[in-house]
Amino acid sequence: MVFTATIQSRSDLGSSLAIRVGRSEGFWSCQPGQFYLLRTGAAWSPYGRRALFPTLIDPNELGFLLAPSNDPGLAWLAAQPAGTALDLIGPQGRGFMLHEHQRRILLMAEASAVAPLFALIPPALARQASITLLLHGRRRADLLPAAALPPAVEYYTACDDPLPGQPTTLDDAFVSALNWADGLYLAGSAEFLRQAKAVVTEARFAVTSGFAQAVAPVALPCGVGACMACLVDSGRGRHRACVRGPVFDLGELAL
Amino acid sequence: MTGTVELAPQHKVGLSLANPVMLASGVAGYGDIQAPGLDLAALGGLVTAPVTRRPARRNVPQIQELPGGLFWQRGDWNPGLRIVLRDFAPLWRRLALPIIVHLAADDPGEIAALAGGLEGVRSVAGLELDAPDDDPRLATDLVWAARQAADLPILVRVPLTAGDDLVKALLETPVDALVVAPPAGARIDPASGHLVYGSVHGAALAPLVTARIAALAGWVEAPLVACGGIHNLDDALAQLAAGARAVQIDTAVWVDPSLPGRIVAALAG
Ligand code: FES
């Protein structure tokens, strides 16, 4: 669908910006992990639409989280005041499959890529699932404040410039959370996912199908399945992430 | 301005479009583009993404944004002709608009094999191929190879940067229409630091393509198709007024999927 939506509110969340958009008619219908294509700027500059993952999916409202970025399109969006009309296409792609049986859900992300995992929290809580979020930031300032999360979510962080006594990696927390979790959801760079996959393989002997899902770490320049610049390799061949993903089973993703 | 357009008047079957608005090669995949707001059925024709004879897996396309446009290294990734026909020919039949298959090869033998593989495929209305802008001899060999292997109308893409020598050479072949295509470009790949080659796309191309079409229209009798730069109705009108018989909307369709339909409607109105 092609929508015009209006920015309803903007609020700072640590060094990130949270915005909420609403539309006057129709309802949002989107799965966590699906994305919208947002036209940014005017007069074709910046040129391409930006792929944005909703952090909040409500019938009347979508939330987006803008991490600090040098991207001119995202900078344009971050500068828009409430009331600005936005041009959106979507939802695009295939999102996460929140499995019925999962009750102990582990989310792990790099701070710059956490947005798609956020949208999993409300449906998981609605199923009485326990949720743990592990977040790694390059800078302490990139980490989201705990207040951004529902109180029921356990939250652990690590960063490359920690305060004394705080961790630089999530390794220990991840290994112990893996013993507890019955579902793992990941978002981050290829290197981040590679390391996570190695840890899962070591801890559980294999990445069993259905246990872990990840957002493919690729750019989505067209987002509509045309340019072939988002190809990812999986055990079942090579796929356009914007069509067959961007969410894939971690065991299938060749990283 | 609208109405049926004939892109291959010298061809015994011809290549007739219901209107002059097409989609350029690669911007709609093999017709399986997932762009809400884009009405393929309203178009005059669609050129597929490039197809090679065998699956090509080495060079994955890459795109970098430029101010007001983008730089596209097309790579060669595609599943190969056999799989493309298996997976997409049924879709082409359902789309019920002229499908022009873009052949990707710089060897006459490969072009002949590709063209021969498409001869007799009912949903294929024509072939498009790329003329290398620095080698008129090879360009003409490619066209002859395609013609000898298949009796389909042939469109040849001539980059905006190519000179008249290439056009003159092509006019000595059984080419049916010339497509003035986005120019080649080069830039430093930020990841590798190496010079990489691709094509340049964006709104600033519209007047350049229009000027080239106007120049060619003065002496080229074959139908001309303008590809590149169209980002609004005025761009399309200018290219048609300059002498293009049809236009191919390029990467603008990713940003504004309803643009082709709006242009078709405006031309009809
Ligand atoms: S982003 Fe272009 S094909 Fe996926």
Side-chain angles (χ1 to χ4, degrees), chain A residues 1-2 37 39 43-50 71-72 87 89-90 92 221-231 238 240 243, chain B residues 26-30 32-37 57 60-63 65-66 68-70 72 77 202 231 251-252 254-257:
Chain A
M1 297 281 281
V2 184
L37 294 167
R39 190 162 182 187
W44 302 92
S45 192
Y47 189 76
R49 286 178 180 261
R50 297 315 197 245
D71 176 77
D87 173 344
I89 292 175
Q92 300 289 99
C222 79
V224 294
C227 72
M228 316 276 179
C230 65
L231 296 173
R238 194 169 252 192
R240 290 167 293 179
V243 177
Chain B
V27 302
Y30 298 99
D32 57 332
I33 182 172
Q34 312 277 315
R57 307 193 189 286
V60 171
Q62 294 191 34
I63 288 178
E65 199 167 76
L66 305 172
L70 52 85
W72 191 359
W77 189 86
H231 285 66
T251 52
W254 298 342
V255 186
D256 185 359

Side-chain angles (χ1 to χ4, degrees), chain A residues 57 97 108 126 160 202:
Chain A
I57 302 165
M97 180 89 86
M108 187 167 81
D160 296 345
E202 168 102 14

Side-chain angles (χ1 to χ4, degrees), chain B residues 118-219:
Chain B
L118 289 160
E119 173 78 350
V121 177
R122 258 193 313 125
S123 50
V124 175
L127 309 174
E128 184 183 80
L129 42 107
D130 287 307
D133 60 358
D134 56 351
D135 194 343
R137 174 74 188 270
L138 175 58
T140 59
D141 287 350
L142 296 177
V143 178
W144 280 110
R147 168 56 67 239
Q148 277 155 15
D151 212 0
L152 288 158
I154 299 172
L155 282 63
V156 177
R157 276 169 71 106
V158 179
L160 188 58
T161 35
D164 287 350
D165 284 359
L166 178 63
V167 174
K168 285 177 183 152
L170 287 168
L171 293 176
E172 300 296 316
T173 71
V175 65
D176 289 293
L178 294 179
V179 182
V180 174
R187 73 194 300 266
I188 300 289
D189 175 31
S192 68
H194 295 137
L195 204 56
V196 291
Y197 296 87
S199 52
V200 179
H201 304 258
L205 290 184
L208 302 175
V209 172
T210 304
R212 183 67 173 141
I213 290 282
L216 291 174
W219 58 276

Side-chain angles (χ1 to χ4, degrees), chain B residues 210-254:
Chain B
T210 304
R212 183 67 173 141
I213 290 282
L216 291 174
W219 58 276
V220 172
E221 278 186 19
L224 297 169
V225 178
C227 175
I230 293 179
H231 285 66
N232 56 48
L233 174 63
D234 288 346
D235 294 334
L237 290 174
Q239 294 185 353
L240 292 167
R245 200 166 292 191
V247 294
Q248 292 184 358
I249 313 277
D250 193 37
T251 52
V253 73
W254 298 342

